[in-house]
Amino acid sequence: MPTAIIADDERLMRDQLRMRLSQVWPELEIIGEAKNGDEAIALVAELKPDLTFLDIRMPGKTGMDAARAIGADSNIVFVTAYDQYAVEAFERGAVDYVLKPPEPERLQITVDRLKARLDKPKAAVNDSVTAMLSQLAEKMAAPKPTYLQWIQASIGQDLRMIPVEEILFFRSDEKYTCVQTEKFEALIRKPVRDLAEELDPALFWQIHRATLVNVNAIEGVTRDIRGRHLVLIKGKPDKLEVSRSFLHLFKQM
């Protein structure tokens, strides 16, 4: 029976990867978990797993640091949220990868490749992959873009500064954009297309050319009798229509 350890500083991500792996590879035994690179190195030395799933970005020793230390003692599988760049790097090297969040279809491809690799000698991270990972580390260390933290909106004759995390959704009409919070509604003149470029895309999803929604405010998605997809908002009666071009956002939910 093949064995593995999972190293990720986020417990929920470790739990999710463990669950997904049990679905697509029930024979794989997860024999240990680590919260950082140092713990991962120690676990590999102690437990000698066939596979080591390493989050690239961890406190202390990163996944890349741990991979170099582990060398050929275990088959390395990097876990990363950096899709396009990571795929290009890992496809060429002696390591494999899992994208965050681990989707069953993509994870099954990785598992099939890993099963084939287990029949071969364990491969250390080679120089070409090390160079690519160093470039990835530089990209990850680059300054993050600055997103809007506050919205200045009108409520009657008053102006109010609203923290963006308190906003449930933005919805435009021809002249104004409605800013909806849990307690009140306000108006701004900035169109949704401009807000979409200035807000954190991990927090606000554009689901329609006239609508942005806070992902934390989404209760669920339903269909009406016309077949339209509608987003339900927590604690509110509003139902926000999802354009067909934005339906892909909800496949991960």
Side-chain angles (χ1 to χ4, degrees):
M1 180 179 292
T3 59
I5 66 169
I6 297 173
D8 195 303
D9 60 315
E10 297 182 24
R11 182 183 61 80
L12 290 178
M13 187 56 63
R14 296 197 305 270
D15 292 344
Q16 186 180 45
L17 181 56
R18 177 190 283 267
M19 178 192 69
R20 295 296 192 195
L21 284 169
S22 69
Q23 293 171 344
V24 299
W25 197 357
E27 300 84 9
L28 180 67
E29 182 182 4
I30 307 299
I31 57 176
E33 294 186 7
K35 298 187 295 294
N36 53 56
D38 292 298
E39 290 184 8
I41 295 168
L43 278 179
V44 169
E46 176 187 355
L47 303 177
K48 298 177 172 52
D50 297 305
L51 300 164
T52 299
F53 291 86
L54 291 171
D55 180 23
I56 286 183
R57 200 168 197 171
M58 292 186 289
K61 277 190 171 62
T62 66
M64 291 174 282
D65 297 330
R68 296 186 186 104
I70 292 168
D73 291 340
S74 181
N75 287 290
I76 301 299
V77 185
F78 283 110
V79 183
T80 175
Y82 291 80
D83 188 342
Q84 195 64 37
Y85 191 88
V87 169
E88 180 183 352
F90 302 151
E91 287 282 10
R92 301 179 185 176
V95 295
D96 216 306
Y97 62 94
V98 172
L99 296 177
K100 292 184 179 182
E103 297 293 337
E105 296 82 2
R106 178 60 188 85
L107 190 56
Q108 184 65 63
I109 296 173
T110 297
V111 166
D112 291 341
R113 294 168 61 182
L114 292 174
K115 287 180 179 178
R117 286 183 57 200
L118 288 179
D119 295 331
K120 303 175 183 178
K122 298 182 180 69
V125 179
N126 58 34
D127 292 339
S128 63
V129 175
T130 298
M132 293 175 192
L133 293 176
S134 296
Q135 294 175 26
L136 178 60
E138 292 176 4
K139 181 177 180 180
M140 293 165 59
K144 294 183 178 180
T146 301
Y147 298 113
L148 285 178
Q149 301 297 313
W150 300 82
I151 295 292
Q152 182 175 290
S154 299
I155 304 177
Q157 300 300 314
D158 300 326
L159 286 177
R160 182 172 297 192
M161 296 296 292
I162 309 170
V164 295
E165 62 268 17
E166 294 182 6
I167 298 170
L168 303 179
F169 59 85
F170 296 89
R171 185 162 50 187
S172 288
D173 58 24
E174 294 182 359
K175 190 174 181 180
Y176 295 100
T177 296
C178 167
V179 180
Q180 182 66 59
T181 73
E182 184 177 352
K183 297 180 180 179
F184 59 83
E185 177 183 289
L187 296 174
I188 59 176
R189 290 186 178 273
K190 182 171 291 191
V192 161
R193 66 175 179 272
D194 292 344
L195 288 167
E197 296 178 357
E198 298 176 17
L199 291 164
D200 184 351
L203 180 60
F204 283 91
W205 287 356
Q206 184 167 11
I207 61 170
H208 188 277
R209 62 181 176 80
T211 311
L212 290 164
V213 63
N214 187 328
V215 296
N216 296 319
I218 297 175
E219 182 175 13
V221 181
T222 187
R223 283 189 180 187
D224 63 11
I225 59 175
R226 295 167 54 189
R228 297 179 305 173
H229 288 77
L230 304 173
V231 168
L232 307 178
I233 301 299
K234 295 176 182 176
K236 292 289 182 181
D238 302 85
K239 296 180 180 180
L240 309 177
E241 182 178 355
V242 183
S243 296
R244 183 173 301 179
S245 57
F246 295 108
L247 284 176
H248 67 277
L249 294 169
F250 298 94
K251 290 183 179 179
Q252 60 186 293
M253 294 185 68

